[in-house]
């Protein structure tokens, strides 16, 4: 009922209104002509029947609160909806007529004459947003909102649509698929990647033209003329502003004199009359101050010189009647006279007088004045800033040794050799046995845990080096004597390991012999354990070092007399000399634990060779006068080199050829080592390495540089003939250390 009554009221109001158009009063007052729909670029889709109708504010329906609507009102609404649908269809038909116009980036502008200024102006039509021109009106199927898309990286979908269903991730090809797509479709480059949908969307011709103009720094509107004449809107005759900026009434203070200013002026006038305020007389050229350039040089841009240093104030020693403690003795007087003038602490000797009138004239007065003038004339004016630095802050912050456990701390057991220096020692791969050799030609085999001697071998001459084979399926070690290398098998081995060891050293089918000065022979001392012997050239001398490859098939030996390097292969019984001629005297050699590289240390340099390509990779320059020991980290990235001049250098093979750490190590060596460094050894599993009498633990974080921390000094060997510890080796799988010294002792150090 309420809707029906509202409709009847509208019809009555329409009948009362005249059919002719009425002109608004505001436009008559200001002589303003409103632009038509064509001038304003309006939309042609509006219904022509509704142009002349004023839209009334709907009245409140009191019956709508009940929520019950009559059937008549529902039918009337359905009829109105049908009528509106028909009008929209007609508008669409009208719009299709102008679809044949040319495509432009921006809508075309119409030129019209303004009724206000009388000048032509450009009027743009209202923008009708559609899917080709503006993507903001498109219906985005992914409705996750402002959510980081990387949350969906590990999921098969990329979001959810408006109904809550998953939007699956589109399939992506690799770089080859993208290349083939660009070759098959030449227009594939005209697309942009949509992060929300994870797909490529093609760009229209208008959008490509806008992108091209933006890249060239042009205006995106193709019809824009940057050189069109300026329209003077508010300047010129007849264009002045008529309306004031503000309609507020003018205040009285703009035309009434100020009483406060009147009092202030009268006060100044009275002071002038009384003579308390006197005006300044104009300056003339006669009474103005005159300045002259003394040196006739332009001013310098350099900072002004520093003030001359002041003499220090006199002390009690310079008094004519100083205290007794300032008076020197006869010995101090003689020492002062015998000292050079430049080295004297004072330029005078304190003297005591009973009265000031008895003080004679200063005999060095003229000389001191002359020296003072020279200091002021020749002394450089340099300002030095004193830095207040705490010495403790310059030292590196090292962790406490208790937090770096385990490491060797005490002497567990000791094995004595009868009156000979123990020059070499080696630990088995399983960490259960130790082989040590002395200068008397005796090789001891004993257990690490209890120190019980298992067997003793007596060879021809002093032992030069001993080294266990790193393989775990066999058990034997190599001892060097004069020009021979003896392969010794320990007793009491399990049958499987013994059989594997015999097959490795004395196989049933021997390889054919080669023409080489090195002789391989199976000895007859099998019952003693010496199962194989390598005979080196007679002129080579006793080998001073033996080192194994990590696989246990190759070993290298360095001879002492000719500094010749030999590489031996056990499986083929073949020996070769990799270097025909090398600069310098070879001291040590090492195999790289991971790569096919070979380290050769001469007296001053360490050269790194590639065995596969047979070429020199780099030369390390430690700066040591005489290299004595060298070892490489199990990772293969770091190497340490020690010398007889008590220096140790740390190299990072991925960095420069110069040492990575020198000064810290040198300070450590000089502080704790009074003799040469003779042994260096990295622990195979723990972050420890052995440095003569000291221990250091190396920890390496990805965010921090490697650091060497001294842990403990182990003292258990006696110095004999200027020699202390000759060699030391770590026990595998345990933080234990075995050291051999010139006093004939082999000591095992264990962790607490």
């Amino acid at each position: 009922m309420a809707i029906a009554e509202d409709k009847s009221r509208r019809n009555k109001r329409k009948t009362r209104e005249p059919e002719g158009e009425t002109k608004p009063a505001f436009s008559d007052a200001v002589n303003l002509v409103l632009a038509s729909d064509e001038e304003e670029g309006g939309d042609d889709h509006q219904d022509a029947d509704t142009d002349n109708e004023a839209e009334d504010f709907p009245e409140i329906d009191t019956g709508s609160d009940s929520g019950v609507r009559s059937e008549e009102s529902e039918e009337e609404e359905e009829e109105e909806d049908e009528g509106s649908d028909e009008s929209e269809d007609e508008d669409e038909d009208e719009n299709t007529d102008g679809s044949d116009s040319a495509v432009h980036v921006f809508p075309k502008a119409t030129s019209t004459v303004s009724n206000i200024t009388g000048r032509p102006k450009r009027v743009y039509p209202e923008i009708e947003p559609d899917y080709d021109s503006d993507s903001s009106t498109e219906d985005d199927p992914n409705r996750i909102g402002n959510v980081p898309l990387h949350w969906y990286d590990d999921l098969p979908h990329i979001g959810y649509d408006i109904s809550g269903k998953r939007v699956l991730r589109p399939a992506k090809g690799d770089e080859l698929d993208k290349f083939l797509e660009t070759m098959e479709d030449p227009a594939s480059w005209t697309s942009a990647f949509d992060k929300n949908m994870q797909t490529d969307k093609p760009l229209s011709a208008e959008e490509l033209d806008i992108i091209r103009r933006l890249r060239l720094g042009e205006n995106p509107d193709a019809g824009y003329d940057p050189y069109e004449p300026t329209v003077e809107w508010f300047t010129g005759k007849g264009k002045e502003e008529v309306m004031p900026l503000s309609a507020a009434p003018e205040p009285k203070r703009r035309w009434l004199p100020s009483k406060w200013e009147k009092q202030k002026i009268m006060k100044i006038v009275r002071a002038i009359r009384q003579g308390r305020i006197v005006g300044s007389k104009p300056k003339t050229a006669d009474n103005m101050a005159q300045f002259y350039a003394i040196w006739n040089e332009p001013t310098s841009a350099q900072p002004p010189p520093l003030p001359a240093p002041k003499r220090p104030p006199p002390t009690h020693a310079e008094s004519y009647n100083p205290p007794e403690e300032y008076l020197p003795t006869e010995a101090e007087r003689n020492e002062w006279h015998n000292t050079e003038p430049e080295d004297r602490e004072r330029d005078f000797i304190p003297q005591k007088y009973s009265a000031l009138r008895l003080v004679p004239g200063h005999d060095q007065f003229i000389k001191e004045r002359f020296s003072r003038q020279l200091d002021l004339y020749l002394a450089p004016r340099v300002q030095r800033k004193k830095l207040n630095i705490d010495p403790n802050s310059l030292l590196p912050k090292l962790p406490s040794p208790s937090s770096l456990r385990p490491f060797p701390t005490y002497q567990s057991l000791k094995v004595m050799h009868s009156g000979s220096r123990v020059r070499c020692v080696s630990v088995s791969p399983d960490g259960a046995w130790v082989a040590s050799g002395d200068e008397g030609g005796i090789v001891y085999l004993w257990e690490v845990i209890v120190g019980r001697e298992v067997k003793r071998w007596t060879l021809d001459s002093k032992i030069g080096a001993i080294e266990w084979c790193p393989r775990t399926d066999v058990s034997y070690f190599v001892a060097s004597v004069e020009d021979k290398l003896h392969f010794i098998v320990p007793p009491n081995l399990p049958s499987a390991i013994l059989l594997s060891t015999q097959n490795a050293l004395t196989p049933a089918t021997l390889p054919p012999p080669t023409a080489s000065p090195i002789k391989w022979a199976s000895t007859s001392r099998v019952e003693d354990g010496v199962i194989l012997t390598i005979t080196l050239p007679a002129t080579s001398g006793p080998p001073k070092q033996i080192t194994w490859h990590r696989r246990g098939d190759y070993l290298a030996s360095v001879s002492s007399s000719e500094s010749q390097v030999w590489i031996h292969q056990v499986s083929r019984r073949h020996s070769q000399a990799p270097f025909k001629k090398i600069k310098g005297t070879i001291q040590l050699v090492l195999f790289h634990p991971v790569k096919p590289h070979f380290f050769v240390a001469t007296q001053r340099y360490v050269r790194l060779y590639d065995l596969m390509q047979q070429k020199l990779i780099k030369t390390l320059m430690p700066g040591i006068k005489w290299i004595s020991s060298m070892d490489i980290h199990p990772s293969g990235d770091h190497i340490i080199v020690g010398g007889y001049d008590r220096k140790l250098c740390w190299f990072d093979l991925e960095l420069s050829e110069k040492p990575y750490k020198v000064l810290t190590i040198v300070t450590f060596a000089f502080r704790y080592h009074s003799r040469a460094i003779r042994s260096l050894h990295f622990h195979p599993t723990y972050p420890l390495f052995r440095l003569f009498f000291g221990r250091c633990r190396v920890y390496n974080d990805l965010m921090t540089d490697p650091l060497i921390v001294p842990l403990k000094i182990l003292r258990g060997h006696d110095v004999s003939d200027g020699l202390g510890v000759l060699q030391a080796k770590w026990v595998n799988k345990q933080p234990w250390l075995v050291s051999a010294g010139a006093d004939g002792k082999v000591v095992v150090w264990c962790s607490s």
Side-chain angles (χ1 to χ4, degrees), residues 216 265 268 337 354 386 411 430 494 520 581 648 662 691:
L216 296 177
I265 293 174
I268 297 174
H337 287 291
S354 58
K386 185 178 181 181
Q411 178 179 336
D430 56 358
W520 293 67
K581 185 177 182 182
L648 184 139
V662 174
L691 171 61

Side-chain angles (χ1 to χ4, degrees), residues 651-662:
F651 287 93
D652 191 341
L653 298 180
E654 296 180 356
L655 299 180
S656 172
E657 299 175 352
K658 299 295 181 66
Y660 174 68
K661 294 283 186 181
V662 174

Side-chain angles (χ1 to χ4, degrees), residues 530-589:
V530 180
I531 193 172
L532 181 64
T533 301
I534 300 177
T535 304
L536 303 177
T539 58
S540 62
K544 59 182 179 181
Q545 188 208 5
I546 298 174
T547 180
W548 282 91
H549 190 264
R550 58 184 177 86
R551 295 184 179 179
D553 190 26
Y554 291 90
L555 74 152
S557 62
V558 180
S559 300
S560 58
S561 61
E562 296 182 353
S563 298
Q564 182 70 31
V565 179
W566 294 95
I567 297 179
H568 314 278
Q569 186 177 4
V570 179
S571 60
R572 295 177 52 194
R573 290 197 175 188
H574 175 69
S575 301
Q576 60 179 349
F579 308 106
K580 294 182 179 179
K581 185 177 182 182
I582 190 170
K583 296 180 180 179
T585 304
I586 299 176
Q587 305 293 324
L588 301 164
V589 294

Side-chain angles (χ1 to χ4, degrees), residues 15 18 133 157 159 198 205 220 240 294 301 342 379 405 413 498 624 682:
T15 57
S133 63
H157 60 281
Q198 298 292 319
E240 295 84 358
I294 299 177
E342 294 81 4
R405 294 181 183 275
L413 56 91
L498 179 60
I624 298 176
F682 273 110

Side-chain angles (χ1 to χ4, degrees), residues 168-210:
L168 298 180
R169 186 186 302 275
K172 285 186 178 180
D174 53 2
E175 297 296 332
L176 182 59
D177 295 338
K178 293 181 181 179
F179 175 76
L180 295 177
E181 183 180 357
T182 56
M183 298 298 294
E184 295 174 357
D185 186 9
S188 62
W189 65 273
T190 61
S191 61
F193 182 76
D194 188 2
K195 292 184 179 180
N196 198 13
M197 293 302 300
Q198 298 292 319
T199 56
D200 293 335
K201 288 190 175 182
L203 301 176
S204 62
E206 295 82 358
E207 293 171 343
L208 291 176
D209 187 61
I210 292 175

Side-chain angles (χ1 to χ4, degrees), residues 249-434:
E250 190 175 3
K252 291 184 178 181
R253 64 176 177 269
R254 294 192 181 177
W255 68 82
L256 293 180
S258 175
K259 294 182 180 180
W260 182 87
E261 291 181 355
K262 180 180 178 181
Q263 295 176 1
K264 191 69 175 176
I265 293 174
M266 291 304 298
K267 185 178 179 180
I268 297 174
V269 170
R270 293 190 195 97
I272 294 175
R273 289 176 180 176
Q274 296 175 4
R276 290 186 284 108
I277 297 178
V278 179
S280 59
K281 296 180 181 181
K283 293 183 179 181
T284 60
D286 297 335
N287 55 12
M288 291 182 63
Q290 300 293 329
F291 301 97
Y292 302 93
I294 299 177
W295 303 109
N296 293 328
E297 292 182 0
T299 58
S300 177
Q302 297 181 356
L306 298 177
K310 297 181 180 180
R311 294 293 301 269
T315 60
H316 295 290
E318 299 182 40
S319 175
Y320 73 94
N321 190 13
E324 296 294 336
E325 57 268 17
Y326 287 93
L327 296 176
T329 60
E330 190 65 27
E332 293 175 350
R333 287 176 178 272
N334 297 333
E335 182 182 359
W336 185 86
H337 287 291
N338 296 332
T339 307
E340 295 293 333
E342 294 81 4
D343 299 336
R344 292 172 181 173
E345 184 179 358
R346 297 172 181 172
D347 297 337
F348 62 94
I349 297 178
Q351 298 180 8
K352 190 176 181 65
Y353 298 95
S354 58
L356 182 60
R357 64 179 181 275
L358 301 178
V359 178
H362 188 38
D363 55 350
Q364 300 292 334
F365 177 77
I366 298 177
K367 185 177 181 181
E368 286 185 359
R369 293 298 94 188
F370 180 73
S371 301
R372 175 65 175 170
Q373 295 299 327
L374 288 179
D375 293 342
L376 297 177
Y377 176 70
L378 300 176
R381 299 294 185 261
V382 179
Q383 185 177 5
R384 293 186 176 91
K385 295 182 179 180
K386 185 178 181 181
L387 300 178
N388 296 325
I389 300 176
D390 186 12
N392 297 327
S393 63
L394 301 178
L395 299 177
K397 295 182 180 179
L398 303 178
S400 62
S402 59
S403 62
L404 301 178
R405 294 181 183 275
F407 56 88
T409 55
Y410 69 97
Q411 178 179 336
S412 176
L413 56 91
K414 179 173 59 176
V415 177
M416 294 295 299
H417 282 242
S418 57
S420 299
R421 298 174 182 171
V422 183
R423 286 195 168 271
C424 50
V425 66
S426 181
V427 184
S428 61
D430 56 358
W433 309 94
V434 176

Side-chain angles (χ1 to χ4, degrees), residues 623-627 642-648 670 675-677:
I624 298 176
K625 296 181 180 179
W626 196 304
I627 295 176
Y644 290 109
D645 53 353
R646 301 179 296 178
K647 290 185 180 180
L648 184 139
F670 273 107
R675 302 182 185 276
I677 298 176

